Every structure is written in C-alpha cells, then in structure tokens.
Amino acid sequence: MWNTIIIEPMTNLLLWIYDVLGHGPHMFGLAIILFTVLIKVITWPLNASQVKGAQAMQELQNDKEWQDIQKKYAKDKEKIAQEQMRIYKERGINPFASCLPTLVQFPIIIGLYQSITHALSATPFDMLKLARAIYPFQNMEGIIPLNSTFLWMDLGRPESIQLLGFGLPTLAIIVALTTYVQSKLTMPTSSNPNDQSAQMTKMMSIYMPLMLGWFALNFASGIAVYFITSNLLGIVQYAATGRANWRNLLPGGDKTNKQQQISKKK
Amino acid sequence: MNAKKMTLFILLALSVLTLSACSGQPLANNWPGLAADTEHAYLSAGSFIYAVDLDSGKEVWRYPEKADKRLFYANPVLTADGQLLIGSTGTEHPFISLDPVTGKEKWTENFTGSKGGWVAPPLVLNDTIYAPNADGFLYVIDMNGKEAADPIKLGGALWSAPSTDGSLLYVTSLDHHFHVINPSEGVSNAPIDLGGAAPSSPVVGSDGVYVGSFASTVESVKSNGAHEVIAKTESWIWGSPILDGETLYYADLDGKIYSLDLASRRQNWDTVQPDGPVVANLLLAGDQIYVATEAGTLVALDRDGNTNWEKTVGGKIYTTPVLSGDLILVAPYQAEFVLAAYDADGKQAWTFVPEKK
C-alpha cells in the first residue's frame, strides 16, 4: 500500500521529469529540484494554513482573556480545556491547522528518500524494486540506470568535499543553516514568559536543523538537495506573506521582539 | 508543553526513526551467490561464505569466522588452480581468494584496487583474472592477487561476469553497452548500444554471442561487431540466455520463458510462464531446463516447455541454480534455509541452515 500510494507515483514522477529534462548528467538533481517545487506548489494551501494557524495560536498566547483563563482555572484542567475550546470556536481557530502540513511532509520526505534510492538503483535489489515500480505505460528502459551526477555530487551517496585531507559535508551544513533560517523566520514571538508552546518552538528551531543536517550527512545527497530546495522555497513563501521575522536571525533578536510586544501592550 | 505540540514532537521523532530505519538496513544489496565442485557447494550469503558438503548438506567451513557487516559477498568462482575467488559488494570491497578445501585466505594481500563493489563474479582466462566492478572498470589481476595490467575502463556499472570464446572477452554494462575486448591488446573495440541496461553475461555460440537486456530484446553479436535484435520479450531480461544447439532459452521479469529457434528465428512454444518473475539464469542439465522463480519455486521443464515437476523451495530465488553431479543446488533468499539440494526428479536431498556461532 505504501509503495502503491507513495513510492510508485513519486518514482514515476521523478523518472518522468528526468526523462523530460533529457536524462543526462546533472539532470536527476534538477529533477529533484523541480519535483520539490511541484510538491511545494501542491502543498501551498496547506503551508499557508499552517502559517495562519501557528500565527493565530501564538496570538492567543498573548491574549488577555486566554491568560486570565489560565490563571483563573489553574487548578482545573478540564475547565481550562473547555474554555479553550470555547475560544477556538468563537474565534474560528483550528488548533490542528498548524500540525497538518507538517505531518504531510513526513510521508513526502520518506517517500522521496525511497524513490531516490529506487531510482538510482545502486544495487541489484534496488534495481529489481525499480523494475516493479515503473508504470507499464512509461518506457523507461532507455534512461535506466540514471545518471546520478549532480554538480560535484553523486546523488546516491552522502556528500562531502575534500578539504585539507578532511571531508567537509557542505550540503549537510547548508541543510542545517537553511533549516535554521527558515525556522527562525517563521518563529513567532511571545511576550508570555510561561508560554510553553513558544519554548517548544524555540527548541524545535534548534533540533530541526541538527536533525536534518544529520540526515544530509548520512543519507544519499539527493535528499539533501530536496531539503535545501524545500527550505529555500519555504523562506521565499514566508517572506512573500510579509510575516517573515528577519530580526530573529540576529543575536538576541527574539528578545528585542518580545520587548517591542510588551511595549506595544503598555 | 501542551498535548498537541507533544504529539507533534513524538511524531517527528518517530519519523526520524523511520528514516533511520531506511538507511540502517544491513547491506542486503545483493542476493546469495553459489558455486560448486564435485564435493562441496560454496555459498555466499551476506557477510559469510560457506562450504557445504554435498553428500550430507553439512557445513565444512565458513569464512570469515565472525561477520563483518561492511562486507557482503558476491557470487564465488572456482578456478582450475584451486582457488575460490570472490569479491565484496558491501561498503568495503576487497577481492579475495580462498582455499576451497580449508576456507583459508590464499593471497598474502587481498586486492583492494577498485573504487566500487563487486556484484559479479570474475572470469579466469589464461591464468589471468578479469574482474568486472560496479565502478565501470574491468580489473586485470594475476593469480596471486596483484594487478597484472591497467584496469580497462568500460563505463557504467558492471554487474555480470565476462564471457569468452577462448580468445576475446565479452562484457555487458548497465550503461547499455556491450564490449568486445581483446585481452592481449587490453583495449575495447567500439561498444555496441543494446538500448537498455544489461545486467547479465552474454552467452557465446559458434555463430556469435547472444545477450539480453532491459530493452526487452535479445541481440546477436558477431565477432566482427555486426549485431541485430533476434527476439523481443514482454518485459526486461535480467538473466543470461542459455544455448542448447540451435535453441536459445531465456526468461523475462514477467516470468515468461522463451525458446527461440536460432535458424528460423521462431519461438518453439507459445506461453510458458511459471509463478513469478525470473531473475536467475536458466539451467540446462540433462534433458531438463530448470527455472527458479522469484516466488520461490523450482520448475523443471522439458525441451518442449512442458512442466516435468515443480517444487516450492520457499523464500525468493534470484540465484542461478547450480548443477553438481546429480544434484541441483538452489540458494533461496529469505527462506527457512539458505541452500537446498534436489535430484533430477525434484526430490529434496537436504537443506542447509548455518549454525549460529
């Protein structure tokens, strides 16, 4: 079922893009980039709703009524939950709106990783899987095996550039950096010092770059190309909404933002 | 931390685990390999090579004593001077020589000159080892494991053993090319484009060489380089064709078995299709053609395509069955045993399960 719903369509789409591009050197890397753009376009409404949902949830944390409820019913969690639900309903906020797009990303990432591995077919087993994954109407025998070269990389292997005798994992670093930038830009600020969700978001902005950087370090570099493209597109998309929090990128930027919010309240 | 964010965090962590699991799979990148002499079967399965007594089905030796997950051994080959040659297609890829009697290493140093893994077994011709590698080079090694000549750059991954007519070498590549090589000159003639990747060895006949490919065709190549498509199949061809006089047998990944009369270029039968895709080479022994399917079945056909018998071996079979004496040896993948022996009537003689040490 996983193969039918995720792997086979993704693999065939990747191969089709690669074929259309002319299936030469560097073309599979371009195919991954175009594939990522396509995925971003398809998930654009979801991402927009994520941004909107996250923003609404964050604004709630700074809302006086919300904070009063937390204080008033501090010892009655059930009542807090009821009141929270009431506020969600009254203000038309879907508390899960910010989660769904993130969840959608997971099967895409896993599927893409497996599709890239299948498509590159570095081993006999992968080649067999690929043979099964290709739709009958696609005539792909002429383009298989794929040319896995992209710029200086072999997309089927983890990437590094030899520098003074050491393998510098440039892609992993770029993945970590772009993930960090994206999460910082999209991280809303909260003036509420007890806001656990803001703390959680802050933690995520540290862990996510490390985690994705680790992926890029250890997995086929094709997946790193996906991460970088996806992050850059995410940054552009967020910047286009006018909500990008550029100050967060500066040291102490989030503190400045908080102070500004507190001043505004006063 | 509220419940929603906690759920998100857990899901994220689970996804990390899932992705890790994808890459953390052991080096199961190739199926078992099999060779045999009159006394022993030599089976490569994962990080081990086993010698199995053909009479009893018991282990004689294994190499190495402890598994090294960086190594994943490809198909072994026995040489006339008493060596068992085998390369690794794991993350480490030494090419080694073992003593078939004792299982001890024969060379003082393994050959480690390749950039890629060894998926295919080598060919030995005139005391020289021609070893095809996934890095696209054909390595030329002497019988002591030293480089005898510069490797021959062919391009594309080489997943099949070279074939020879005694003087020329015929090598297929995944980059769709078929190469004719004169070993004395060490150079390749202009390669022939097969239109699809070729993961199996060509078969050499008196009137040319026959090779199947992912182009779903069988091509005939003459020694002068002239070539033509002599048959088409419904799916990709993975295994090598076999030649029986004027008849060429081959199979495709749809599981169809073909019998081509080379003189008339006509198929001898309409549809013979056992229960699954056929990746392994067919085996001709006595009056029977043995077909091992991915569905884990061993089928014995007569020359007219009639099924004499079929046996469920179990697991999946990708490894070409091997004949030794009266026994047909089969090495299934993911079965309850790693090796089984059958007689010509399909009666199972023994199965081999490695002891855990």
Side-chain angles (χ1 to χ4, degrees), chain A residues 44-255:
Chain A
W44 182 283
L46 280 172
N47 287 331
S49 87
Q50 178 190 22
V51 170
K52 204 175 157 189
Q55 203 77 33
M57 289 298 290
Q58 206 58 51
E59 281 166 10
L60 260 189
Q61 299 298 325
N62 300 325
D63 184 85
K64 192 167 182 310
E65 187 185 1
W66 184 269
Q67 288 173 359
D68 289 346
I69 287 168
Q70 311 281 332
K71 283 177 196 165
K72 191 175 175 184
Y73 303 110
K75 291 180 182 174
D76 187 351
K77 296 207 168 176
E78 200 176 323
K79 186 67 183 169
I80 288 181
Q82 280 176 4
E83 289 296 308
Q84 283 176 341
M85 288 309 292
R86 178 183 60 77
I87 292 176
Y88 288 148
K89 210 172 175 183
E90 280 176 9
R91 303 190 187 184
I93 295 171
N94 179 359
F96 299 105
S98 61
C99 301
L100 185 62
T102 314
L103 295 179
V104 168
Q105 291 283 330
F106 294 154
I108 291 172
I109 293 170
I110 296 168
L112 182 75
Y113 172 75
Q114 293 183 335
S115 301
I116 290 171
T117 311
H118 284 185
L120 290 174
S121 296
T123 70
F125 274 127
D126 285 329
M127 185 66 91
L128 261 185
K129 285 176 193 164
L130 178 65
R132 286 197 190 90
I134 295 174
Y135 292 144
F137 57 83
Q138 296 235 66
N139 294 318
M140 291 295 170
E141 58 272 5
I143 65 164
I144 288 169
L146 272 58
N147 189 318
S148 60
T149 309
F150 181 57
L151 303 176
W152 67 92
M153 297 167 256
D154 179 345
L155 292 170
R157 294 171 183 274
E159 176 271 355
S160 66
I161 291 177
Q162 288 298 317
L163 206 67
L164 302 170
F166 291 97
L168 184 70
T170 42
L171 243 58
I173 293 168
I174 297 171
V175 166
L177 276 176
T178 52
T179 311
Y180 179 77
V181 169
Q182 189 189 16
S183 60
K184 277 288 183 183
L185 288 183
T186 55
M187 190 171 78
T189 51
S190 170
S191 59
N192 182 357
N194 299 320
D195 184 353
Q196 289 182 324
S197 109
Q199 287 168 13
M200 180 69 201
T201 311
K202 198 174 175 183
M203 273 170 59
M204 293 282 276
S205 75
I206 296 167
Y207 290 136
M208 280 296 281
L210 291 176
M211 206 155 56
L212 296 190
W214 182 83
F215 283 156
L217 191 67
N218 292 285
F219 289 75
S221 51
I223 199 85
V225 172
Y226 167 79
F227 283 144
I228 293 170
T229 313
S230 180
N231 287 343
L232 292 176
L233 290 172
I235 291 167
V236 170
Q237 181 183 8
Y238 206 76
T241 64
R243 288 171 169 164
N245 209 340
W246 298 101
R247 282 188 184 169
N248 272 352
L249 292 177
L250 303 171
D254 52 342
K255 284 179 189 167

Side-chain angles (χ1 to χ4, degrees), chain B residues 50 175 286 305 323 341:
Chain B
Y50 302 96
D175 73 354
L323 176 73

Side-chain angles (χ1 to χ4, degrees), chain B residues 41 59 123 128 138 141 146 163 167 195 218 220 226 246 254 257 272 295 316 330 334 340 354-355:
Chain B
E59 181 176 321
L123 170 82
T128 304
L138 183 69
I141 307 167
K146 308 290 180 200
S163 301
S167 58
V218 177
S220 155
E246 281 295 298
D254 276 354
I257 317 297
V272 174
K316 299 171 179 178
V330 185
Q334 292 179 334
E355 276 181 33

Side-chain angles (χ1 to χ4, degrees), chain B residues 9 13 59 87 103 112 203 206 214 216 229 249 252 283 289 291 313 325 344 348:
Chain B
F9 190 73
E59 181 176 321
T112 54
V203 60
S206 57
F214 286 176
S216 303
V229 173
Y249 299 101
D252 66 17
L283 170 69
I289 302 147
V291 182
V313 177
Q348 193 180 75

Side-chain angles (χ1 to χ4, degrees), chain B residues 233-252:
Chain B
T233 54
E234 298 200 4
S235 182
W236 295 1
I237 300 174
W238 193 299
S240 299
I242 52 171
L243 195 56
D244 179 26
E246 281 295 298
T247 306
L248 196 68
Y249 299 101
Y250 48 94
D252 66 17

Side-chain angles (χ1 to χ4, degrees), chain B residues 37-61:
Chain B
D37 55 23
T38 53
E39 293 178 7
H40 299 142
Y42 303 96
L43 174 76
S44 60
S47 299
F48 287 108
I49 303 155
Y50 302 96
V52 179
D53 183 83
L54 286 179
D55 289 331
S56 63
K58 304 288 183 196
E59 181 176 321
V60 179
W61 54 255

